């Protein structure tokens, strides 16, 4: 009995000791800091399948920022947005643009170029046809004109028989124009014709006609042979330029041949002037005419052969011509006023100075240095390092 009473007293004492602890755990102290406990996410809205459904509540909005807070700046715009970046190129097969490009039929192509221009054979087709037609018409007119020109034995003058030659001149002009038009039209329709070949074929044709006229005049006095030789040679020069040079003749090559003929004529005139005022026997007027007729064709032919090895640009040819002509004119005028034009000195100085200026500017003017690439400067260790030139200086003619 005493043991039972002792057990009851221990149980009562233990219950009284645990009661404050339980009360403290159930009712926390508001003045003590509480640990952070994350809130569980709200349950998803109820979606019923029947008529009685709970309306969906809008999601909670974030609290507004406290006053005085600066909102963050928007991100900077990409300057390369919308541009194709390196490594992102897509081929025509990937994006399907190849199927969208129109495919021209073979009849619309000529020597790898789409047909265009007045006669659907390139931008120089009209010039080529016009120059051929005019040159052939002039050839027919000139040959018939000279054929009916007779020389008066008493006076030594030439007289044209108009009554006999008027019909021949009309027929020759029309036949020549027809043949020139037909031949040039057929050629340009089957060959691509660019503007340079149409222009410089006429120039080379004139050089070839002058060459033949000078050679025949220096060997014979027959004016009929002179007329036919000039006409045939002019046609040969024109067609050789179109055939050998091709429809894609470079502008630089045409300019080089034309300037070669012009410089040959100018240097021939300076040499003849030097001989005339050098104290010896001056050349006759026939020598002057024959030399000025022969040398342009020889100069153009020499440049045409040289173009197999050298490859100047159009800027080099034009620049050399301008410098050579400018220096030659200045030296000729200055030395002529100082020494006198009846002395060989001005002509010799003009020839040497113009030839030197022409050669120096044409060979040693580096076009790559006209617009150099921007040099990137790097500042490191107190020294400025400039990017070195990649392309070494070389002869720009080949």
């Amino acid at each position: 009995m005493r043991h039972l009473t002792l057990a009851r007293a221990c149980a009562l004492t233990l219950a009284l000791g645990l009661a404050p602890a339980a009360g403290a755990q159930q009712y926390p102290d508001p003045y003590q800091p509480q640990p952070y406990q994350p809130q569980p996410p709200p349950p998803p809205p109820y979606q019923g399948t029947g008529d009685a459904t709970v309306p969906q509540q809008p999601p909670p909005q974030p609290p507004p920022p406290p006053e005085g807070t600066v909102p963050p700046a928007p991100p900077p715009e990409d300057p390369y947005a919308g541009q194709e970046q390196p490594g992102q190129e897509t081929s025509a097969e990937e994006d399907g643009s190849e199927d969208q490009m129109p495919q021209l039929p073979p009849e619309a192509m000529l020597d790898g170029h789409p047909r265009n221009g007045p006669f659907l054979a390139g931008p120089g087709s009209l010039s080529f046809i016009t120059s051929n037609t005019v040159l052939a018409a002039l050839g027919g007119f000139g040959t018939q004109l000279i054929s009916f020109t007779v020389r008066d034995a008493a006076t030594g003058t030439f007289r044209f028989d108009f009554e006999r030659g008027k019909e021949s001149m009309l027929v020759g002009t029309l036949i020549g124009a027809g043949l020139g038009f037909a031949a040039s039209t057929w050629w340009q329709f089957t060959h691509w014709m660019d503007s340079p070949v149409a222009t410089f074929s006429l120039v080379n044709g004139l050089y070839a006609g002058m060459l033949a006229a000078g050679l025949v005049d220096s060997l014979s006095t027959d004016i009929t042979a002179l007329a036919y030789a000039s006409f045939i040679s002019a046609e040969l020069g024109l067609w050789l330029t179109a055939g050998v040079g091709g429809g894609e003749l470079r502008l630089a090559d045409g300019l080089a041949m034309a300037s070669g003929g012009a410089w040959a004529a100018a240097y021939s005139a300076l040499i003849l002037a030097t001989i005339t005022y050098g104290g010896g026997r001056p050349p006759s007027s026939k020598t002057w005419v024959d030399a000025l007729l022969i040398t342009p064709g020889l100069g153009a032919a020499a440049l045409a052969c040289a173009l197999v090895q050298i490859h100047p640009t159009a800027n080099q040819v034009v620049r050399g011509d301008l410098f050579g002509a400018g220096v030659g004119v200045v030296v000729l005028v200055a030395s002529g006023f100082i020494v006198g034009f009846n002395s060989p000195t001005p002509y010799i100085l003009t020839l040497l100075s113009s030839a030197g200026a022409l050669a120096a500017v044409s060979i040693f003017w580096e076009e790559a240095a006209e617009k150099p690439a921007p040099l990137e400067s790097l500042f490191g260790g107190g020294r400025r390092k400039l990017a070195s030139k990649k392309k070494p200086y070389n002869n720009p003619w080949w």
Side-chain angles (χ1 to χ4, degrees), residues 313-398:
T313 62
N315 291 335
Q316 287 174 324
V317 177
V318 174
R319 188 188 304 114
D321 293 341
L322 293 178
F323 272 87
V327 171
V329 170
V330 170
V331 172
L332 178 62
V333 173
S335 58
F337 277 108
I338 296 174
V339 180
F341 291 97
N342 56 353
S343 173
T345 303
Y347 308 105
I348 296 175
L349 293 177
T350 302
L351 192 150
L352 296 177
S353 60
S354 63
L358 174 63
V361 174
S362 300
I363 296 177
F364 299 110
W365 188 295
E366 178 59 50
E367 292 186 346
E370 292 181 356
K371 296 180 180 179
L375 300 178
E376 299 179 356
S377 58
L378 302 176
F379 298 91
R383 296 182 180 181
R384 183 178 182 180
K385 301 178 182 180
L386 299 179
S388 60
K389 184 179 180 182
K390 296 182 179 180
K391 179 178 180 297
Y393 184 84
N394 57 0
N395 194 336
W397 281 71
W398 55 77

Side-chain angles (χ1 to χ4, degrees), residues 283-328:
S284 62
S285 59
K286 187 175 184 298
T287 304
W288 275 82
V289 172
D290 293 342
L292 295 180
L293 288 175
I294 293 174
T295 52
L298 296 179
L303 257 296
C305 297
L307 289 174
V308 178
Q309 179 64 28
I310 63 176
H311 304 286
T313 62
N315 291 335
Q316 287 174 324
V317 177
V318 174
R319 188 188 304 114
D321 293 341
L322 293 178
F323 272 87
V327 171

Side-chain angles (χ1 to χ4, degrees), residues 38 45 76 103 106 116 126 136-138 141 182 187 223-224 231 267 353 368 386:
Q103 298 293 333
N116 59 8
L126 180 61
L138 290 177
F141 176 82
W187 181 268
I223 58 175
T224 303
F231 170 63
Y267 290 153
S353 60
L386 299 179

Side-chain angles (χ1 to χ4, degrees), residues 123-337:
S125 57
L126 180 61
S127 301
F128 184 74
I129 293 176
T130 304
S131 59
N132 275 272
T133 304
V134 172
L135 183 61
L138 290 177
F141 176 82
T143 52
Q144 298 305 312
L145 174 66
I146 294 178
S147 298
F148 289 92
T149 301
V150 295
R151 183 175 183 179
D152 193 353
T155 59
T157 59
F158 292 93
R159 181 178 59 85
F160 173 69
D161 191 351
F162 183 76
E163 294 297 332
R164 295 176 53 193
K166 60 181 181 180
E167 185 177 354
S168 298
M169 286 191 301
L170 177 61
V171 174
T173 303
L174 295 178
I175 291 177
L179 291 177
F181 179 81
S184 58
T185 302
W186 168 78
W187 181 268
Q188 63 86 34
F189 192 77
T190 55
H191 298 80
W192 170 263
M193 300 300 297
D194 205 355
S195 297
V197 67
T199 302
F200 293 109
S201 60
L202 179 60
V203 175
N204 293 337
L206 294 177
Y207 283 163
M210 293 168 59
L211 175 62
L215 292 175
V216 172
D217 186 64
S218 62
L219 299 176
S220 174
T221 57
D222 189 357
I223 58 175
T224 303
L226 175 66
Y228 279 97
S230 302
F231 170 63
I232 295 174
S233 298
E235 289 289 341
L236 287 177
L238 188 148
W239 285 101
L240 279 176
T241 304
V244 178
E248 298 178 352
L249 177 69
R250 296 175 59 242
L251 177 63
D253 296 342
L255 287 174
M257 290 185 286
S259 62
W263 281 112
Y267 290 153
S268 299
L270 291 175
I271 293 173
L272 291 175
T274 303
I275 296 174
T276 300
Y277 298 104
R281 182 179 178 180
S284 62
S285 59
K286 187 175 184 298
T287 304
W288 275 82
V289 172
D290 293 342
L292 295 180
L293 288 175
I294 293 174
T295 52
L298 296 179
L303 257 296
C305 297
L307 289 174
V308 178
Q309 179 64 28
I310 63 176
H311 304 286
T313 62
N315 291 335
Q316 287 174 324
V317 177
V318 174
R319 188 188 304 114
D321 293 341
L322 293 178
F323 272 87
V327 171
V329 170
V330 170
V331 172
L332 178 62
V333 173
S335 58
F337 277 108

